[in-house]
């Protein structure tokens, strides 16, 4: 076998066998390559990566955004609190306020899929969301078998509709109510109140009547989210912009059930805009608001930037609801249209709640922050037992603005029922007027470390290329300087004749 002596190998590796011309080509060639790559990294790479990234963001079949849109990678949970009415038998005693204790949370993992996805030539796509919830005992503060006492919504809603009926008709209504399952309150398990439902005698009676006094009753069972779990059509048909033509419109809601107005509120208050909370516009400015529309709220909700946070190493902006979010013109005249027409101009709700009777089939129901946070104190003062907790009762979304990626979501909404005395209805005689909290829905999501690492990489790619370019420029300058130095000092190595040819040893 043949082998090369160690000394000869070292000389070969150091290019001692190269001529001065070859050495100059290597030195100045390498420095030029470093300089060119460095310039590309500094001047071209950041813009190139951003262009490629933003070209990948629009929603289109098979794209990266489409994968996240159809199967959300971040786990979402529904945390429901119920309000247990502890003293319903004592409320007719003068000076005794109804007492409600917040119980729970009852936490459900949410699986969301999109059905009937249809693409249109005008860069929009329609879909029907389907949510399925699975109880998570380990994350919950109670069991689904907990007994909870709540106001009987069917009775209160029917009584509210009958409030202005002629005296004689109200007498017959009261008799029917008392003899067919009407009640001020009922006690059932948490599961029955939330999803499972329970047979309701009064609803069964109302279904059989099916007239203007009882409304269009479709089921003789009752639950806050009855027939909602796993429903494919409950939320309706949404049409959003894909952002293919204009990235600033990506995820923007265009139609709901084929209309661009909800019909729940008048004028601008019923107009559809904003996001469905599945996609958000990227490259959001630091002062821009977030607008979202959720079918459960019957309206859009604006969230304002309130500061910055760092989550999983990602700098983000926190967007929150404010004291005038649920206003009807008292704090913000532009929100007067959230006041039902029959209450305008002087009987609109005080700030802090939205009257949602128009989307609750006429029931005197109100939406607010949990515990009436930010609301006029008169709402919370009608009851005792539960106070607002600003740490967990605020509605916020913390988002990375460049890519429009939500990192932390706490969408908390309380639904309440207004109950007032009626001298013609036995069940409501002698009652104080009060706002009874029924339940709080809190949608919770937080980015996982795995997804956060992908987001960080996407955000840091321009900087990585830039700093690698700086490093290559530095290396190129050093090699170039060394080459010029050797040229000026004429210290290029001149190989001797026997170094030009390496003769292998023979064995």
């Amino acid at each position: 076998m043949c082998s090369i002596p160690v000394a000869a190998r070292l000389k070969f590796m150091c290019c001692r066998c190269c001529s001065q011309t070859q050495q100059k080509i290597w030195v100045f060639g390498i420095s030029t390559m470093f300089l060119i790559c460095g310039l590309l990294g500094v001047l071209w790479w950041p813009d190139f990566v951003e262009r490629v990234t933003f070209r990948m963001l629009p929603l289109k079949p098979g794209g990266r955004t489409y994968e996240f849109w159809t199967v959300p990678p971040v786990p979402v949970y529904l945390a429901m609190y119920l309000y247990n009415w502890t003293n319903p038998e004592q409320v007719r005693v003068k000076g005794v306020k109804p007492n409600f204790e917040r119980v729970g949370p009852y936490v459900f993992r949410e699986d969301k899929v999109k059905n009937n996805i249809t693409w249109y030539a005008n860069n929009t796509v329609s879909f029907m969301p389907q949510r399925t919830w699975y109880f998570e005992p380990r994350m919950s503060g109670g069991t689904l078998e907990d007994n909870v006492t709540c106001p009987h919504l069917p009775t209160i809603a029917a009584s509210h509709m009958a409030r202005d009926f002629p005296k004689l008709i109200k007498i017959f209504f009261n008799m029917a109510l008392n003899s067919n399952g009407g009640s001020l309150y009922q006690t059932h398990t948490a599961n029955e109140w939330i999803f499972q439902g329970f047979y309701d005698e009064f609803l069964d009676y109302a279904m059989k009547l099916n007239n203007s006094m009882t409304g269009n009753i479709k089921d003789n069972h009752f639950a806050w989210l009855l027939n909602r779990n796993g429903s494919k059509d409950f939320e309706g048909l949404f049409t959003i912009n894909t952002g293919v033509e204009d990235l600033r419109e990506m995820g923007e809601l265009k139609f709901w059930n084929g209309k661009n107005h909800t019909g729940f509120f008048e004028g601008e208050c019923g107009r559809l805009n904003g996001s469905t909370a599945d996609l958000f516009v990227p490259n959001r400015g630091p002062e821009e608001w977030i607008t979202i529309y959720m079918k459960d709220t019957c309206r859009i909700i604006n969230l304002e930037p309130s500061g910055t946070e760092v989550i999983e190493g990602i700098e983000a902006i926190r967007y929150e609801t404010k004291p005038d979010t649920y206003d009807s013109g008292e704090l913000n005249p532009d929100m007067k249209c959230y006041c039902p027409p029959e209450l305008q101009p002087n009987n609109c709700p005080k700030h802090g709640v939205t009257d949602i009777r128009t989307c609750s089939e006429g029931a005197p129901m109100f939406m607010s922050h949990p515990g009436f946070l930010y609301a006029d104190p008169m709402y919370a003062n009608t009851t005792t037992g539960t106070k607002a907790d600003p740490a967990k009762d605020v509605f916020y979304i913390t988002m990375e603005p460049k890519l429009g990626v939500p990192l932390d979501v706490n969408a908390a909404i309380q639904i309440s029922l207004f109950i007032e005395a009626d001298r013609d209805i036995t069940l409501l005689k002698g009652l104080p007027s009060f706002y009874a909290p029924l339940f709080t829905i809190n949608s919770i999501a937080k980015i996982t470390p795995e997804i956060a690492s992908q987001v960080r990489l996407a955000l840091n790619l321009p900087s990585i290329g830039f700093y690698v370019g700086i490093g290559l420029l530095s290396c190129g300058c050093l090699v170039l300087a060394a080459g010029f130095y050797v040229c000026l000092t004429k210290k290029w190595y001149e190989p001797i004749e026997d170094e030009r040819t390496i003769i292998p040893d023979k064995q």
Side-chain angles (χ1 to χ4, degrees):
M1 297 179 63
C2 296
S3 63
I4 300 176
V6 174
R9 286 201 299 268
L10 289 173
K11 291 177 182 179
F12 179 78
M13 293 172 63
C14 294
C15 204
R16 296 185 63 183
C17 58
C18 298
S19 66
Q20 289 189 12
T21 301
Q22 290 173 320
Q23 294 174 47
K24 292 177 181 178
I25 291 173
W26 275 105
V27 169
F28 290 111
I30 290 174
S31 65
T32 301
M33 181 183 67
F34 280 165
L35 290 172
I36 292 174
C37 292
L39 287 172
L40 288 175
V42 171
L43 301 178
W44 175 77
W45 177 260
D47 290 338
F48 169 75
V49 171
E50 286 203 1
R51 287 197 302 271
V52 170
T53 299
F54 288 134
R55 278 202 298 266
M56 294 171 60
L57 287 182
L59 182 63
K60 47 191 173 183
R64 186 69 167 168
T65 300
Y66 179 78
E67 295 178 15
F68 290 157
W69 181 68
T70 52
V71 184
V74 177
V76 178
Y77 297 93
L78 174 71
M80 282 201 67
Y81 291 88
L82 301 181
Y83 291 87
N84 185 40
W85 191 358
T86 63
N87 63 344
E89 293 295 336
Q90 288 79 47
V91 292
R92 288 182 173 84
V93 177
K94 187 176 181 180
V96 175
K97 292 183 178 181
N99 186 75
F100 290 88
E101 294 180 353
R102 181 155 44 178
V103 294
Y106 304 97
V107 181
F108 301 83
R109 175 174 51 85
E110 178 180 297
D111 284 353
K112 183 177 181 180
V113 297
K114 294 175 174 64
N115 299 308
N116 301 336
I117 298 175
T118 305
W119 304 89
Y120 299 100
N122 63 348
N123 298 317
T124 61
V125 58
S126 64
F127 62 95
M128 300 184 75
Q130 177 186 5
R131 302 173 195 262
T132 306
W133 291 281
Y134 303 91
F135 185 57
E136 294 285 349
R138 296 181 183 178
M139 301 176 66
S140 301
T143 73
L144 293 180
E145 302 307 312
D146 293 345
N147 284 318
V148 182
T149 300
C150 295
H152 187 235
L153 176 60
T155 294
I156 305 303
S159 300
H160 179 76
M161 294 177 63
R163 179 167 296 276
D164 296 326
F165 287 173
K167 184 78 170 181
L168 182 59
I169 295 179
K170 285 186 71 175
I171 291 175
F172 285 107
F173 171 81
N174 184 55
M175 293 171 58
L177 190 66
N178 293 335
S179 58
N180 290 281
S183 59
L184 178 61
Y185 62 92
Q186 289 191 4
T187 301
H188 298 280
T189 66
N191 194 27
E192 290 173 322
W193 280 115
I194 298 173
F195 284 121
Q196 180 178 311
F198 52 87
Y199 170 78
D200 191 273
E201 182 184 352
F202 180 69
L203 285 178
D204 189 66
Y205 169 75
M207 280 185 66
K208 294 173 183 176
L209 290 180
N210 192 26
N211 58 31
S212 59
M213 289 181 60
T214 60
N216 184 23
I217 307 300
K218 300 177 181 179
D219 203 308
N220 61 3
H221 283 68
F222 180 82
W224 304 128
L225 303 178
L226 185 68
N227 300 327
R228 179 73 186 276
N229 200 352
S231 173
K232 294 183 178 181
D233 54 11
F234 181 88
E235 295 190 43
L237 182 69
F238 292 83
T239 303
I240 64 172
N241 193 292
T242 62
V244 170
E245 184 174 340
D246 185 357
L247 201 55
R248 288 292 300 174
E249 293 190 16
M250 186 180 74
E252 288 291 298
L253 181 61
K254 297 302 179 183
F255 301 101
W256 177 59
N257 288 334
K259 300 178 180 179
N260 61 3
H261 198 279
T262 67
F264 296 135
F265 301 99
E266 293 186 325
E268 285 297 303
C269 292
R271 187 174 63 86
L272 288 174
N273 65 87
S275 167
T276 59
D278 293 313
L279 292 174
F280 290 95
V281 171
N283 256 352
R284 189 177 297 273
E287 302 301 323
E288 290 186 65
W289 293 10
I290 287 179
T291 300
I292 61 174
Y293 174 79
M294 297 182 293
K295 196 270 181 185
D296 294 325
T297 67
C298 306
R299 50 162 289 182
I300 62 170
I301 294 180
N302 293 317
L303 297 92
E304 302 178 32
S306 62
T308 59
E309 293 184 18
V310 176
I311 298 176
E312 295 288 348
I314 303 171
E315 294 185 7
I317 299 176
R318 176 166 166 142
Y319 300 86
E320 293 184 359
T321 49
K322 297 297 179 181
D324 67 348
T325 297
Y326 302 113
D327 186 35
S328 298
E330 182 180 1
L331 301 180
N332 184 350
D334 293 336
M335 301 179 73
K336 191 76 171 182
C337 46
Y338 283 116
C339 178
E342 61 269 26
L343 299 181
Q344 295 186 25
N346 300 319
N347 296 314
C348 294
K350 292 184 178 296
H351 73 272
V353 304
T354 295
D355 190 323
I356 57 173
R357 71 183 69 188
T358 53
C359 67
S360 60
E361 299 182 354
M365 300 178 73
F366 295 82
M367 178 174 63
S368 68
H369 291 99
F372 296 109
L373 179 69
Y374 299 145
D376 190 291
M378 62 86 59
Y379 296 109
N381 289 341
T382 63
T383 61
T384 60
T386 300
K387 301 299 180 183
D389 183 351
K392 66 180 181 181
D393 290 338
V394 68
F395 190 130
Y396 69 82
I397 297 176
T398 304
M399 180 183 298
E400 193 290 307
K402 186 174 182 179
L403 300 179
V405 178
L407 308 181
D408 188 16
V409 177
N410 187 73
I413 298 171
Q414 176 179 297
I415 301 299
S416 304
L417 178 67
F418 181 55
I419 301 177
E420 57 182 328
D422 191 317
R423 66 180 65 184
D424 299 320
I425 299 176
T426 306
L427 293 171
L428 301 180
K429 279 184 179 180
L431 290 178
S433 295
F434 61 98
Y435 291 83
L438 300 178
F439 58 88
T440 291
I441 290 182
N442 193 349
S443 186
I444 303 170
K446 192 162 188 176
I447 195 168
T448 62
E450 294 76 18
I451 301 300
S453 65
Q454 297 180 33
V455 174
R456 286 197 303 271
L457 178 61
L459 292 172
N460 292 331
L461 272 177
S463 297
I464 291 173
F466 177 83
Y467 288 114
V468 168
I470 293 293
L472 291 174
L473 283 175
S474 301
C475 291
C477 290
L478 287 174
V479 175
L480 187 64
F484 280 123
Y485 172 77
V486 175
C487 283
L488 293 173
T489 58
K490 299 181 179 180
K491 291 186 177 181
W492 292 106
Y493 182 77
E494 181 64 38
I496 59 178
E497 189 64 29
D498 61 353
E499 290 177 334
R500 296 181 186 277
T501 304
I502 299 175
I503 304 175
D505 292 342
K506 295 182 179 180
Q507 292 187 357

